[in-house]
Amino acid sequence: MHKYYILQNLCEPEDIGLKTGEDQVEILRHGFDNPKYYDLLVERLGPNYLEFKHQNWSTEFKVQYAKLREKAFLTDVLSYSPFLMNCKFMISARLKHIFEEFTLCQHMFIPTTVYRGQELHHYYLLKLSKSSYDIIDFPKSIFSVQVEGFNAETLTFNRKQFSFSSAEEMLECEKDYLLFDAETLCFKEKFDRKLDLFTLYNGKIIISERLFERLVSENISGLGALPVFGDVTYWPKLS
């Protein structure tokens, strides 16, 4: 059986150095040699993302200035602002080299210069393409929404379960609920299980067991992983 993990930014003060709830890094327009690159970044990956999602990106695109906040740790994975679509992680050159040894979904590494005072550090925004709904076997998958009541045995809130015949049916139902999520996602045969890193349709970033083990062995900082297999009850499982 293939085992997968959800990747997440760590946010506790002991992991990132900040107690304020702020992101570790801020991308600042005034630090760009050419401010139009900042404007292009925000235009294409900010609130107007959908207008530009099908356009090609230049491989020469760079984030010229990202400032590490005072007291923030310089971890391998940095949280940052402003929010940019499909670029959840700002990663160190060390982590980029590790990722390049594995099989990733369609992606782009956007060179980023992080300043800690006068020190310059080479980082990258990892831009990932979401997988399509076509890889999900919807009749075999289970979705749910939180309802009233608490299950003392499992220490979880009660949930109402759903199954759907298609993505369209699921999306239509999702409109009527808050906190709607998958409990179990089953992949179709055509899904490429050789992928070590990919993004689900809902934005969750998934890695393989072998990539997870490599990240642990390399002591990658600023990054957490949740198993999505076994008797997990707090987040979706994959199969």
Side-chain angles (χ1 to χ4, degrees):
M1 184 183 79
H2 290 77
K3 294 182 179 179
Y4 297 103
Y5 296 78
I6 298 175
L7 282 188
Q8 295 185 324
N9 287 86
L10 296 181
C11 59
E12 296 299 324
E14 61 266 27
D15 296 312
I16 66 171
L18 294 175
K19 300 179 180 180
T20 59
E22 295 176 298
D23 294 305
Q24 291 160 275
V25 164
E26 186 176 11
I27 299 174
L28 297 171
R29 186 179 189 273
H30 69 74
F32 279 57
D33 294 335
N34 190 338
K36 76 174 184 181
Y37 284 126
Y38 176 90
D39 297 336
L40 183 63
L41 181 77
V42 174
E43 177 184 71
R44 293 202 174 186
L45 289 177
N48 299 321
Y49 160 75
L50 291 177
E51 298 178 24
F52 300 94
K53 64 179 295 187
H54 297 299
Q55 293 188 13
N56 292 326
W57 279 64
S58 167
T59 55
E60 298 301 316
F61 193 86
K62 298 179 180 179
V63 178
Q64 297 176 339
Y65 189 83
K67 183 180 179 181
L68 188 74
R69 295 186 189 277
E70 187 178 357
K71 297 184 179 180
F73 296 156
L74 189 68
T75 50
D76 287 298
V77 177
L78 294 168
S79 59
Y80 71 91
S81 60
F83 172 77
L84 300 174
M85 191 69 68
N86 295 339
C87 297
K88 184 173 182 178
F89 298 127
M90 181 180 289
I91 65 173
S92 66
R94 182 169 82 103
L95 181 52
K96 174 180 179 287
H97 293 152
I98 294 172
F99 281 156
E100 289 174 329
E101 297 177 23
F102 290 82
T103 305
L104 277 58
C105 66
Q106 185 177 355
H107 63 280
M108 176 183 293
F109 295 111
I110 302 174
T112 301
T113 302
V114 173
Y115 285 79
R116 179 167 63 177
Q118 297 301 312
E119 298 176 3
L120 283 80
H121 298 270
H122 297 296
Y123 274 71
Y124 297 84
L125 285 179
L126 176 58
K127 182 177 182 291
L128 298 170
S129 296
K130 291 182 182 179
S131 59
S132 70
Y133 292 103
D134 292 342
I135 68 170
I136 303 299
D137 190 332
F138 279 91
K140 294 181 179 179
S141 299
I142 300 172
F143 299 80
S144 68
V145 64
Q146 183 176 309
V147 294
E148 291 184 4
F150 186 79
N151 189 322
E153 183 176 336
T154 62
L155 301 179
T156 60
F157 289 97
N158 294 328
R159 300 187 69 86
K160 178 181 179 181
Q161 292 186 330
F162 301 86
S163 61
F164 305 104
S165 61
S166 65
E168 291 75 18
E169 189 177 329
M170 182 272 290
L171 290 170
E172 189 61 31
C173 179
E174 187 179 28
K175 296 176 183 177
D176 298 328
Y177 297 98
L178 295 174
L179 304 178
F180 183 93
D181 203 353
E183 282 194 13
T184 301
L185 286 179
C186 296
F187 294 130
K188 293 181 179 178
E189 289 296 324
K190 70 177 184 178
F191 170 65
D192 184 2
R193 292 188 180 271
K194 294 180 182 178
L195 286 173
D196 292 298
L197 187 152
F198 58 95
T199 303
L200 295 175
Y201 67 87
N202 56 14
K204 290 182 171 64
I205 298 174
I206 309 298
I207 60 168
S208 66
E209 184 177 29
R210 72 187 193 113
L211 178 51
F212 168 77
E213 291 174 348
R214 178 65 181 281
L215 298 179
V216 171
S217 68
E218 296 285 348
N219 293 315
I220 295 300
S221 57
L223 190 63
L226 301 173
V228 285
F229 55 86
D231 296 326
V232 177
T233 57
Y234 301 105
W235 48 83
K237 292 183 286 188
L238 302 182
S239 64

